[in-house]
Amino acid sequence: MIVYDKTLLDNLYIDEEANRLKKSGFISQEQYQSIGHQLPKLKSQNNIFIRIGFFILGCMLYSSICGMLSLFGLAIMDDAYLFFIYLFAIIGFGAKEFMSREMKYFGFGLDDAFILGAILALQIAVGLTFEQNYNPNYLFIAIVTAIVSSISYFRYLNLSLALLACFGITASVAYLVFDYLIIGKAILPFVMLLLSGCGYFISKNKLQNLTVTYYSRGLKLAKAFCLILFYLAGNYYVVRELNFSLSGEYYYNGVSPEIPFAIVFWAFTISIPALYLFFSLKNKDRMMLWIGFLALCFALFTIRTYHHVLPPEVALTIGGLAVFAFAYFSIKKTKYNETGITFKEDRFANPNAFTNLQTLVVASQFGLKPEAKVEESPMKFGGGGFSGGGSGGEF
C-alpha cells in the first residue's frame, strides 16, 4: 500500500531519531553527520519555513498547469468544464504519485501542494456533479473526502491527509445524523461524543499493538483529534450556540435560548478538563496534558460567557494568583523526583532552554549589557616638535 521504498523510509526515521539525539546532546554533530552520510533516504524537508515555501511554489505550479489546460481546452469545448475539473484532480494525484515513486519526495512541500490540490479539485467536481437546484450535496462531498483522504494517507503517510480524513469522517457522520434522522438535531452532540470516544479507544488500541512505526504519527493525530472533538461535542457553549445557529430564529434574534439537559452539559464542561489533566499525569501523556489545559481555558471562557460572577479584572487577578500558587507548589513537590511526575529537565525537549532563560533573567535583573569595543581612529596623533605647541609639549 505504501508507495515509498521501505528501506529508504526506515532510513528517514532513523535519521530523524538521530537528529533528536543530537539536539538532546546524546551524540555529537560529527556522529550525526556520519550517520546521515551512510544512510540513503527519502528527500524530506524538516525546516517548516522552507517546506511552506516549497508548498507555495507547488501551488503556483499546479495552478499554472491547470490554467494552461483551461485556456487551451475550454476554447475547444465550452461546456466541458466539469470534465476539466476531474482532469485537474487526476493530474494532481498523478504528479503526487510520480514525485513519491520516482523523485523520492516525502513531506517536501511540492508533493503536499499537488495532493491537497487534487483533493480540492475532486471535492469541487463531486459537488458540481451531485448538486440539486444549485445546492451542493455536502454529505457526498464529505464521504468522498473521508475515503480519498484515508486511502491517500495509507499510501503517502502525509499528516495533513490524516487530519483531512478525520474532518471528513466527522462531517459525514454529522450530515447523516442531521439530514436523515428526524431527531438528528437533538441527538447530534451525543452521536459526536460516541464517535469521538470510539475513535479515541480504537486509535489508542492500535498504537499499543502497532508493529510498524509508519502509521504511528497518524494514529497520534487521530487520538488528539478525538480528544478535542469529545470535549467540544459536550461543551455547553458549543452545544447551545450550534443548536441556536441551526434553528430558524438565528437570523431574527441575537440571544440563544436555554437548551435541554443544560445541567448535564454544564457538568461535562467543568469535569472533562479535570479528567484530562488527571489521566494525562497518571499515564504520562503529554499530548492529553496540553489538550486538558486548553479545555480548561475554554471551560473558563464558557462560564464567563453566561455567568458574570466577578468583574474581568478581579477574575483575572484571582485566576493568576491561583495558577501561580498551583505552579509554585507543584514545582516544590516534584522538583527532586527521579521517577513519575517530575520537574527535572527533559533532554529531548530543548536542553538549552533553561540555560538561555537563566541568562536572560540575570541580564535583566543586573542590567548587564554586552561590552562594546571602541574602534581606534585610523589617524595617528603624535607629539609636536616645533615652537607653539604639540601634544608632547616640546619646543
Side-chain angles (χ1 to χ4, degrees), residues 8 16 85 116-117 130 132 197 199 226 238 245 280 343 363 370:
L8 298 179
E16 291 179 355
I85 299 178
L116 293 178
F130 296 95
Q132 297 177 352
C226 291
V238 175
S245 63
S280 64
F343 190 69

Side-chain angles (χ1 to χ4, degrees), residues 138-139 142-143 165-177 192 195:
Y138 293 108
L139 174 61
I143 293 175
C166 292
F167 279 114
I169 295 171
T170 305
S172 301
V173 175
Y175 275 111
L176 278 172
V177 173
M192 290 292 102
L195 174 67

Side-chain angles (χ1 to χ4, degrees), residues 163-191:
L163 181 61
L164 195 59
C166 292
F167 279 114
I169 295 171
T170 305
S172 301
V173 175
Y175 275 111
L176 278 172
V177 173
F178 187 78
D179 291 342
Y180 293 93
L181 292 180
I182 300 176
I183 58 173
K185 180 181 175 181
I187 66 172
L188 182 60
F190 302 101
V191 174

Side-chain angles (χ1 to χ4, degrees), residues 280-326:
S280 64
L281 296 175
K282 180 181 178 181
N283 301 326
K284 302 179 181 63
D285 192 337
R286 179 176 296 179
M287 178 181 62
M288 182 183 285
L289 180 66
W290 285 111
I291 295 176
F293 278 123
L294 293 176
L296 179 62
C297 295
F298 197 68
L300 296 176
F301 166 78
T302 302
I303 296 173
R304 289 288 304 174
T305 301
Y306 300 102
H307 300 283
H308 303 284
V309 181
L310 295 172
E313 59 275 9
V314 178
L316 289 174
T317 303
I318 296 176
L321 292 174
V323 171
F324 175 80
F326 174 77

